[in-house]
Amino acid sequence: RLVKLLQQAYAYQSLRSNCSAGGARPGPAVRSLLQDLSCPVLPNRLRATLRGHRGDVKSVAFAGRDGRYLVSASSDHSVRLWDLEAGQDGPPAVLAGHRGRVWAVHASAAGHVVASASADGTVRVWVATAEGEGPSDAQGARGADAAPPDGQASRSMDGDSVREADLFHVGQLAVACRHVVREGPGAPVYTAAVAAAGGLLVSGGHDRELHVHDLSAGGRLQCTLAGHLGAVTSAAFNEAGNLVISGSKDARVRIWDVRSGLCIKTLSGKCLGEVSSVALSPVADAVLVSSRDNANRLFDMRAGKVVATYKGHQNTAANFVRATFGPGGLSVIGGSEDGAVHLWDTASGTPSGTLGGHGGVVYAAEWSESALLLASCSADSTVRLWEWADLGAEGNGHGAEEGAEPAAAGGSTH
């Protein structure tokens, strides 16, 4: 009976990993059932191009539990929410309200809380609920995940009424602006992140400080994290939500304890340029740091040492070229000033290929483990969606036409 259960567990995980869909690839060797299998292949084919922004697209994030929706931020002052099931023909919801370029967007792990950081000195917190759900049906109805009732304006964190709290609709979602954080005039906000549980928000920008707000307590300012000597360009919570990792133009990465507001570790001396992004590994106690010296580096957070370096892309001039993790944390993906998405093997730092086709700087790329899609955004005002396909079986496929390198990008991460 035990053997039968183990066989069923393997079959289920193998199907979920999407490795052998349609018999295109054999399933991976199984060495342990203590950890879920990950997709061992990388995106190599263009699935769709999303157009609509009137300025360069600075940031993207997947939203919704199943990764069905995508949020994008642009210099055209807008945040757009796309229904990926509708494809490139489906009109997005334009989330209006910002009065300056939007530098970054971030979605909570559950996908229902989205934060957008703007040059207008504000962070807007958007809450999405399924059509027909009332506030009592949403997760954390009294906290960050609760949407305001129809016809009621949200309250901003500085006490002003949020007039733009009308509902925006796309697909099966209704989206409303719940909070506005005002960092002050003349102080652009470059980054914002929501904790996994959706209860905490951290933001940072030109004023060199990070501000942590408790969304479940009406947006009360919980603490201010001060210590960076340059503008804060990127910030992220750890999975537990008790630590904040931040990167700055001072070429340093700091790790902060949220409860005490103290910096407990500084990673410096290895990055020769301004830090443009930080991202936490989903499988190890490590942080990926992108800096404006044409390098991404993986730091062991405990030892404070660089354990891998990723090169081959260009990151010296554009604000801000970012990097993050790909399928299962086994690969690193990042933007580049050469107009391509670059991919590397996480453990070895070996390049795995590129995805070309954008007509300008690629600022960022994001991977959805649920949707098995990669999204990239660029100065060419578009968002591109990439997927894996067996190009050998399809012949000269669509991915090759769009500038992908299928021989490298379609291989295994092992």
Side-chain angles (χ1 to χ4, degrees):
R1 176 60 181 167
L2 178 59
V3 173
K4 182 66 174 177
L5 290 174
L6 293 177
Q7 290 173 341
Q8 290 176 352
Y10 164 61
Y12 171 74
Q13 292 192 27
S14 181
L15 286 173
R16 283 204 61 187
S17 69
N18 204 36
C19 302
S20 54
R25 292 181 65 90
V30 178
R31 297 180 176 85
S32 172
L33 288 172
L34 300 179
Q35 196 170 27
D36 286 343
L37 295 177
S38 299
C39 181
V41 293
L42 296 174
N44 63 349
R45 183 178 73 172
L46 181 68
R47 173 174 170 176
T49 300
L50 307 180
R51 295 180 172 88
H53 280 293
R54 298 184 299 276
D56 50 1
V57 187
K58 295 292 188 181
S59 178
V60 289
F62 285 92
R65 289 189 180 94
D66 55 359
R68 171 179 170 176
Y69 300 93
L70 184 77
V71 187
S72 58
S74 171
S75 294
D76 65 9
H77 303 185
S78 76
V79 176
R80 294 180 183 240
L81 180 63
W82 310 80
D83 181 0
L84 301 186
E85 287 192 2
Q88 56 193 16
D89 298 326
V94 180
L95 310 185
H98 282 298
R99 296 176 176 84
R101 72 173 58 187
V102 186
W103 285 105
V105 287
H106 180 264
S108 65
H112 292 296
V113 182
V114 174
S116 55
S118 172
D120 64 8
T122 69
V123 175
R124 288 180 174 256
V125 180
W126 310 87
V127 178
T129 55
E131 292 280 11
E133 283 187 356
S136 61
D137 298 323
Q139 179 184 0
R142 296 184 180 180
D145 285 345
D150 290 353
Q152 292 187 15
S154 300
R155 300 294 296 179
S156 71
M157 295 181 183
D158 60 5
D160 293 335
S161 178
V162 181
R163 300 301 179 186
E164 295 84 2
D166 296 333
L167 289 177
F168 301 91
H169 299 270
V170 62
Q172 298 178 354
L173 289 183
V175 185
C177 178
R178 178 176 173 83
H179 294 296
V180 174
V181 180
R182 287 181 171 83
E183 303 289 4
V189 186
Y190 297 134
T191 183
V194 182
L200 293 178
L201 168 76
V202 63
S203 61
H206 187 72
D207 64 0
R208 306 179 182 182
E209 296 180 340
L210 295 113
H211 305 278
V212 179
H213 291 267
D214 186 350
L215 300 181
S216 62
R220 173 180 56 86
L221 178 64
Q222 180 166 313
C223 63
T224 297
L225 311 176
H228 277 297
L229 303 178
V232 178
T233 57
S234 182
F237 283 101
N238 67 338
E239 186 176 1
N242 63 321
L243 298 178
V244 167
I245 297 84
S246 61
S248 167
K249 288 189 175 183
D250 64 9
R252 288 174 170 80
V253 174
R254 291 179 179 266
I255 303 174
W256 309 83
D257 177 71
V258 174
R259 289 183 178 274
S260 66
L262 299 177
C263 176
I264 59 177
K265 181 168 291 192
T266 301
L267 308 178
S268 62
K270 300 296 182 181
C271 299
L272 303 179
E274 301 173 354
V275 175
S276 54
S277 72
V278 295
L280 286 173
S281 168
V283 295
D285 194 13
V287 58
L288 177 65
V289 179
S290 180
S291 58
R292 291 173 66 173
D293 57 358
N294 291 332
N296 301 319
R297 297 175 177 87
L298 186 66
F299 282 83
D300 183 303
M301 289 178 59
R302 295 183 182 275
K305 297 180 179 179
V306 176
V307 295
T309 302
Y310 314 94
K311 293 187 175 183
H313 65 299
Q314 298 174 19
N315 181 11
T316 57
N319 288 326
F320 299 97
V321 174
R322 300 178 170 98
T324 188
F325 291 93
L330 301 177
S331 60
V332 168
I333 56 176
S336 176
E337 294 167 8
D338 63 9
V341 179
H342 286 250
L343 306 98
W344 299 266
D345 177 75
T346 301
S348 66
T350 304
S352 301
T354 59
L355 300 171
H358 276 295
V361 175
V362 177
Y363 290 109
E366 287 290 330
W367 169 256
S368 170
E369 206 69 66
S370 301
L372 297 178
L373 286 175
L374 175 70
S376 58
C377 59
S378 169
D380 65 7
S381 303
T382 69
V383 175
R384 291 187 170 223
L385 301 176
W386 307 86
E387 63 185 0
W388 181 82
D390 187 357
L391 298 183
E394 297 180 4
N396 186 17
H398 185 47
E401 296 173 0
E402 293 295 336
E405 296 180 8
S412 170
T413 58
H414 296 288

